[in-house]
Amino acid sequence: MVKIAQRTTLGMLLLLIMPVGVWISGWQWQPDQSGAFLRVLFWMTETVTSPWGTLTSIILSAWVLWCLRFRFKPALLLIIFMNGAILAGQYTKSFIKEQVQEPRPYVVWLEKRHGISETQFYQLNRQGRSEMVSTLLVNDTQLPTWLKRHWAFETGFAFPSGHTLFAASWSLLVIGLLWPRRRIITVLVLFAWATMVMGSRLLLGMHWPRDLVAATLISWVLVTCATWLAQRFCGPLTVPRDEQQEIAQRDDAL
């Protein structure tokens, strides 16, 4: 358990560097960023947005199973533990959002720009909010069409970030489960992806830095527990003898 907590804690601290840095800097979102980079970040956020998030989980689950090479029964348990952590994070996020009811940055901007009432906006049902966003922005030629559609689709509360919970949980699961197998490239790719997803939530006007920080902390708790359960019931995460030579060759290549 101690080694698992050490790995996931290190991963959590790495993920917190960006949002904490942005928070401390006092950076404030404004809808004046555009161009190819913002569109790339939108694609990153789409890998987590329904329905693509389900496909992302399937792909990552399959990859982790292949890397660990568990037998059938332990593999099924591992799928349950991994995706259980993801689902638990999403349910936790939904519960907290309804208690805190923090407005998204773009909603605050709409209030200032178009004079809408933030309170009245969130009193509407989701369809009503979506229609209001579309109506207010229909004649806005500065914002890209895809961003206006994204805002109209994502009309819930901000705190904490569900997208960050999803991406951070998968990156922490990978470092918790695959680091003993020295799957360094996988770890680096997942952490880069998670950081880009988190950055996209800031630059797209969907979240405040504190939303990302809270989501990362929640994911750390859930993933640490899920990884411990995986080691307890699915088999050791330590490297079997027949893989030691393969890992040594992988380390030499790096």
Side-chain angles (χ1 to χ4, degrees), residues 29-31 103-114 116 118 121-122 126 129-134 136-137 143 147-158 201-208:
W29 172 82
Q30 291 294 328
R104 294 188 184 275
Y106 84 82
V107 175
V108 175
W109 177 78
L110 286 175
E111 182 180 36
K112 295 177 181 178
R113 178 75 175 268
H114 296 277
I116 68 168
E118 171 194 311
F121 177 81
Y122 279 109
R126 285 188 175 270
R129 297 176 207 166
S130 179
E131 291 174 353
M132 178 180 283
V133 172
S134 299
L136 290 173
L137 300 177
L143 295 171
L147 181 57
K148 291 188 283 187
R149 286 199 300 263
H150 188 59
W151 285 358
F153 180 72
E154 298 268 358
T155 60
F157 296 109
R201 306 314 287 165
L202 295 176
L203 293 178
L204 293 173
M206 305 305 292
H207 287 287
W208 314 92

Side-chain angles (χ1 to χ4, degrees), residues 27-197:
W27 174 84
Q28 296 293 322
W29 172 82
Q30 291 294 328
D32 54 5
Q33 299 93 354
S34 60
F37 180 66
L38 190 63
R39 191 61 186 268
V40 169
L41 289 180
F42 172 70
W43 291 336
M44 290 296 103
T45 217
E46 284 291 275
T47 63
V48 179
T49 304
S50 178
W52 302 111
T54 301
L55 178 61
T56 299
S57 283
I58 292 172
I59 293 172
L60 292 177
S61 295
W63 178 250
V64 171
L65 289 179
W66 186 86
C67 290
L68 290 175
R69 302 176 188 178
F70 281 160
R71 297 184 305 278
F72 181 72
K73 185 176 179 180
L76 288 179
L77 285 175
L78 182 60
I79 290 175
I80 292 173
F81 292 142
M82 288 191 299
N83 290 278
I86 302 299
L87 290 175
Q90 296 306 304
Y91 282 117
T92 302
K93 169 265 300 183
S94 297
F95 175 78
I96 296 175
K97 280 180 184 286
E98 290 301 321
Q99 306 308 309
V100 178
Q101 298 191 355
E102 177 190 65
R104 294 188 184 275
Y106 84 82
V107 175
V108 175
W109 177 78
L110 286 175
E111 182 180 36
K112 295 177 181 178
R113 178 75 175 268
H114 296 277
I116 68 168
S117 169
E118 171 194 311
T119 303
Q120 291 179 349
F121 177 81
Y122 279 109
Q123 286 177 345
L124 298 172
N125 59 27
R126 285 188 175 270
Q127 182 177 353
R129 297 176 207 166
S130 179
E131 291 174 353
M132 178 180 283
V133 172
S134 299
T135 301
L136 290 173
L137 300 177
V138 65
N139 295 320
D140 192 318
T141 57
Q142 295 182 338
L143 295 171
T145 302
W146 55 264
L147 181 57
K148 291 188 283 187
R149 286 199 300 263
H150 188 59
W151 285 358
F153 180 72
E154 298 268 358
T155 60
F157 296 109
F159 183 92
S161 168
H163 283 67
T164 296
L165 255 167
F166 183 99
S169 293
W170 271 115
S171 62
L172 294 178
L173 279 168
V174 164
I175 197 171
L177 294 168
L178 299 186
W179 186 260
R181 307 297 178 97
R182 294 298 184 268
R183 292 286 177 176
I184 299 174
I185 294 178
T186 297
V187 171
L188 292 177
V189 169
L190 263 291
F191 270 77
W193 165 71
T195 300
M196 292 187 71
V197 169

